[in-house]
Amino acid sequence: KDGTGYYIFDRKLTAEGLNGLWLRGVVSEEQGERQSFGIMRIALVLLPVLVVIASAGGYFIAGRTLNPIQKIAGTARKIGEENDLKCRINLGKGNDELHQLADIFNEMFERLESTFEKEQQFTSDVSHELRTPMAVISAQCEYTLEKERSVGEYEDALRVIRRQARKMTKLIDHMLD
């Protein structure tokens, strides 16, 4: 009309209870274009803002998700570099898969630490047990060789050496068994 175009919406409503009702609307092309441009302007402003918010939220969520993995890797690295099996992974309370993995690693570290402590104790005990007979054998040899001895004294010295050698042999056999 008068060089202006209009959009007309005219529909009969057919839902139950709406018999005989019509929905009608009329909008000029100019008003439709203004609304379309308004929506586009809003979209052009809001879309970048929403992308920034979504990116920041994703970064925050990813950081919180990966933080336990970084703690696990950091503790494992520290244990490897410092040879300190007393370190444990401390993620706090939780029941998810990462907390279960940390608990399993902690149990493994405890078993390794216990095994190494037992090995160190064993090595210390064996060292002591082997050094004692060796000291006796060495002292007996030194004493016997200091001066000329009688045949009986040489025999006594050899018996002491033999007794200590047998003691060491039994100890070595016991260790290997």
Side-chain angles (χ1 to χ4, degrees), residues 5-172:
Y6 291 91
Y7 295 108
I8 299 173
F9 183 81
D10 194 15
R11 179 170 290 173
K12 183 177 183 179
L13 302 177
T14 58
E16 188 175 324
L18 299 177
N19 294 339
L21 292 177
W22 286 77
L23 180 60
R24 292 186 173 141
V26 177
V27 175
S28 70
E29 282 181 344
E30 183 181 309
Q31 186 180 3
E33 287 175 6
R34 275 197 315 256
Q35 287 178 347
S36 294
F37 286 128
I39 291 172
M40 284 193 333
R41 273 191 235 122
I42 291 172
L44 287 174
V45 170
L46 286 182
L47 188 60
V49 170
L50 290 175
V51 167
V52 168
I53 291 171
S55 297
Y59 182 79
F60 175 74
I61 290 171
R64 289 202 49 168
T65 302
L66 295 176
N67 189 33
I69 295 171
Q70 291 172 340
K71 283 185 179 180
I72 291 170
T75 303
R77 186 178 303 110
K78 182 178 179 185
I79 289 171
E81 290 172 355
E82 298 177 9
N83 291 326
D84 182 11
L85 290 174
K86 295 191 183 313
C87 285
R88 296 295 180 263
I89 300 168
N90 186 11
L91 296 184
K93 300 271 186 208
N95 237 4
D96 61 4
E97 292 83 2
L98 290 175
H99 283 82
Q100 291 172 5
L101 179 65
D103 291 342
I104 290 169
F105 273 128
N106 286 337
E107 290 170 10
M108 179 185 67
F109 293 146
E110 286 175 23
R111 287 193 306 272
L112 285 171
E113 179 184 9
S114 173
T115 300
F116 282 125
E117 286 174 357
K118 288 177 184 175
E119 179 188 358
Q120 287 175 341
Q121 184 63 45
F122 174 76
T123 303
S124 175
D125 292 347
V126 166
S127 174
H128 175 73
E129 292 297 324
L130 288 176
R131 281 190 175 128
T132 302
M134 284 304 297
V136 171
I137 290 171
S138 181
Q140 189 66 42
C141 289
E142 292 291 326
Y143 173 75
T144 306
L145 293 173
E146 275 181 358
K147 63 179 182 173
E148 191 75 24
R149 307 265 177 207
S150 68
V151 172
E153 289 175 319
Y154 282 123
E155 287 177 356
D156 288 342
L158 287 173
R159 281 188 196 95
V160 169
I161 292 170
R162 181 177 63 191
R163 186 172 58 243
Q164 294 300 317
R166 285 181 178 163
K167 184 177 178 182
M168 281 181 49
T169 301
K170 284 181 186 177
L171 181 61
I172 291 170

